[in-house]
Amino acid sequence: MEKEQFTSRFGVIMATAAGAVGLGNIWKFPYMLGQNGGAAFLVVYIACVLLFGLPLMITEIVIGKRSGQSVRGAYQVLIGNRRWNGIPILTCLTVTLIIGVYLVITGWCVKYLLMSIVGPLPTLNGWTDVLCNAFAVLCSVAVVWLGVTKGIERLSKIFMPILLLIIVILLVRVMLLPGAKEGLSFLFSFDADKISFDVILSALGQCFYSLSIGMGALITYGSYIPKKQNVVTTACGIVAVDTLVAVMSACVIMPAVFVYGFSPEQGPKLVFSVLPVVFEQMPGGHVMVLLFFALLCIAAITSIVSLFEVLTASLVDVTAHRERRPLTRHQALVYVAVVCLAISGFCTFSMTGESDWLVWRGKTLFDGLDVLTSSFMLPMVALSTVIFFGWFVDKQVMIEEMKPHYGTKPWAIQGYYFLIRWCFPILILLIGLNSIGII
Ligand code: PHE
């Protein structure tokens, strides 16, 4: 069967940006900005995106596009042997756990959205939350079920513009509040003293997370990009949308928080405990709450879609050559969804206080998996991928990809390889060590 492909450059950018724009942009970026000194963090973040995020994104997309394979087959095809097959296994494991954790927060977004529509929900202990997780899973399954072109591409082309429209509406509403300027001046008054080693490393980590680096999504979606398309301009488009959404979310959240006298340094709770209160206080606030949580749900679900696609495509490939009947795409998707929902269920129950066995030394399963994936597993995948591509894949692969668009510029290729062979491995190692708390 002919492999499905995205049909246009706009479609590729919308689909991949929909995967990249997620809770990382709307929930995490604003509070990290709040905790790490506002404009100083913003400047460092943008520098990290341009210097490191963009080249890494290009690398991953090229791995997918040149091999034309899912994560499972991509490494093997590029190098002609199976020696690097550990990376796909680690990627799929990491992605499964990440979805489990991410679904918990997505479930909260669904819950808040429902509450803003129908009022308080019946409390069934953890089960209300698990049902909300299940709702998010169902929506994501529906999109992947329809396929790459009819599902992922077509729906991204509808939902990304809706997402951008919602942000613009929220932004205009917040800007009209008296006192919104103070919030903005916190965001945009630059104080170079606030830039520390810690701030740089957190910005780097956030940049990788936000652009979905090391999650296999860029490789998988890369394999659906038409051969003629220019990877660099595509990656620039994705990075631009992703960063724009992050900055706009911060411009919605921070001023709103300031106007109503809350502290911008609330951390992860900011979006869930502060914002509904803040929005309800302003005229037309109810609609704002509804729009805001709709925004979070769209962003989160389209991100889950991208990771479901990573796992589904890989699972189909794993079973493609076995003697028993290979799995169809739909069967693989159902397996993936059930496993991820189960993990998210355990994570949810670990936090409701009823299931002691899911809590270990005061840390819930949710916390444990979050740290395990973001501090160990993601950096490991990213590190092994850059070593793989920088040191072991023939340079010709990158050169051939760039040639039709830019010719062969030796300085650009050398610069790229210097980054990928030396700078990135060291940086990723630093981020990993920093997030474990060693440096
Ligand atoms: N880039 C995504 C985000 O910012 C990362 C992600 C995607 C995480 C899918 C989990 C699942 O939210």
Side-chain angles (χ1 to χ4, degrees):
M1 198 177 70
E2 196 40 39
K3 211 171 136 82
E4 269 196 284
Q5 284 209 327
F6 292 134
T7 55
S8 64
R9 177 150 78 187
F10 179 69
V12 174
I13 295 181
M14 286 297 114
T16 320
V21 170
L23 297 174
N25 304 60
I26 303 169
W27 163 71
K28 208 166 179 185
F29 182 78
Y31 85 70
M32 289 196 79
L33 200 74
Q35 284 178 327
N36 288 297
F41 182 80
L42 186 63
V43 170
V44 178
Y45 179 81
I46 291 180
C48 291
V49 165
L50 294 177
L51 261 170
F52 310 115
L54 192 60
L56 275 175
M57 174 175 273
I58 293 172
T59 309
E60 287 202 18
I61 297 181
V62 167
I63 295 180
K65 187 174 171 223
R66 298 294 299 186
S67 65
Q69 298 281 322
S70 68
V71 171
R72 143 81 217 244
Y75 293 83
Q76 190 173 323
V77 164
L78 280 188
I79 206 161
N81 62 51
R82 293 160 166 262
R83 255 174 250 147
W84 289 81
N85 273 1
I87 311 184
I89 295 173
L90 184 63
T91 309
C92 290
L93 202 65
T94 311
V95 166
T96 313
L97 297 178
I98 289 183
I99 308 180
V101 172
Y102 202 76
L103 267 173
V104 174
I105 303 166
T106 311
W108 295 342
C109 300
V110 171
K111 188 161 107 180
Y112 276 75
L113 178 65
L114 287 178
M115 287 199 297
S116 73
I117 300 172
V118 299
L121 298 178
T123 24
L124 310 161
N125 301 327
W127 287 103
T128 319
D129 290 17
V130 173
L131 285 176
C132 291
N133 300 352
F135 179 79
V137 169
L138 274 183
C139 296
S140 315
V141 166
V143 179
V144 181
W145 189 274
L146 291 173
V148 174
T149 322
K150 291 213 187 82
I152 298 177
E153 181 177 359
R154 197 174 48 140
L155 293 170
S156 304
K157 284 202 278 198
I158 300 172
F159 281 107
M160 270 316 273
I162 294 181
L163 182 142
L164 292 174
L165 183 71
I166 297 182
I167 295 210
V168 172
I169 296 174
L170 293 174
L171 192 61
V172 171
R173 181 67 197 89
V174 168
M175 287 304 133
L176 292 177
L177 290 174
K181 268 206 212 100
E182 266 171 60
L184 279 191
S185 61
F186 168 77
L187 278 184
F188 295 113
S189 55
F190 179 74
D191 175 2
D193 289 346
K194 294 222 169 109
I195 301 181
S196 62
F197 188 59
D198 262 2
V199 168
I200 297 178
L201 286 185
S202 335
L204 255 175
Q206 170 63 13
C207 152
F208 286 5
Y209 186 84
S210 184
L211 298 175
S212 298
I213 283 164
M215 299 185 188
L218 299 168
I219 299 182
T220 310
Y221 280 14
S223 73
Y224 304 139
I225 296 184
K227 287 282 167 264
K228 295 189 304 289
Q229 198 164 312
N230 182 340
V231 172
V232 178
T233 47
T234 307
C236 288
I238 301 164
V239 164
V241 175
D242 191 80
T243 310
L244 192 73
V245 172
V247 174
M248 292 212 301
S249 308
C251 291
V252 169
I253 292 170
M254 284 306 155
V257 168
F258 264 91
V259 169
Y260 291 100
F262 287 92
S263 148
E265 289 159 21
Q266 296 270 341
K269 292 193 311 236
L270 188 72
V271 161
F272 294 101
S273 56
V274 177
L275 275 190
V277 181
V278 166
F279 283 151
E280 287 291 358
Q281 290 183 30
M282 53 177 93
H286 194 68
V287 180
M288 296 281 288
V289 176
L290 197 147
L291 281 179
F292 183 73
F293 284 106
L295 170 75
L296 279 177
C297 287
I298 296 176
I301 288 173
T302 47
S303 293
I304 294 172
V305 164
S306 71
L307 297 195
F308 271 180
E309 180 62 31
V310 170
L311 296 177
T312 306
S314 292
L315 194 55
V316 169
D317 278 356
V318 171
T319 62
H321 306 294
R322 67 177 188 180
E323 278 167 19
R324 275 190 300 133
R325 238 165 17 107
L327 286 181
T328 65
R329 208 182 131 82
H330 289 165
Q331 287 168 328
L333 175 60
V334 171
Y335 284 124
V336 165
V338 168
V339 171
C340 293
L341 183 61
I343 298 177
S344 83
F346 285 118
C347 287
T348 300
F349 282 116
S350 77
M351 287 189 295
T352 54
E354 297 149 67
S355 318
D356 292 346
W357 59 283
L358 293 169
V359 181
W360 193 63
R361 292 196 183 161
K363 289 263 175 236
T364 61
L365 179 70
F366 173 84
D367 298 329
L369 288 184
D370 188 24
V371 173
L372 179 71
T373 50
S374 51
S375 309
F376 295 91
M377 297 173 85
L378 270 184
M380 280 286 283
V381 174
L383 183 64
S384 35
T385 302
V386 288
I387 294 178
F388 165 81
F389 198 79
W391 292 94
F392 294 90
V393 173
D394 192 350
K395 276 189 180 175
Q396 232 24 51
V397 169
M398 194 45 119
I399 295 175
E400 276 170 21
E401 189 58 42
M402 296 298 147
K403 209 151 107 198
H405 308 287
Y406 304 102
T408 41
K409 296 202 174 69
W411 58 266
I413 296 287
Q414 268 169 8
Y416 169 80
Y417 274 96
F418 175 69
L419 277 178
I420 197 154
R421 287 190 159 176
W422 302 102
C423 303
F424 289 169
I426 296 173
L427 268 172
I428 295 169
L429 212 62
L430 284 181
I431 299 180
L433 292 178
N434 176 59
S435 55
I436 313 172
I438 295 186
I439 51 169

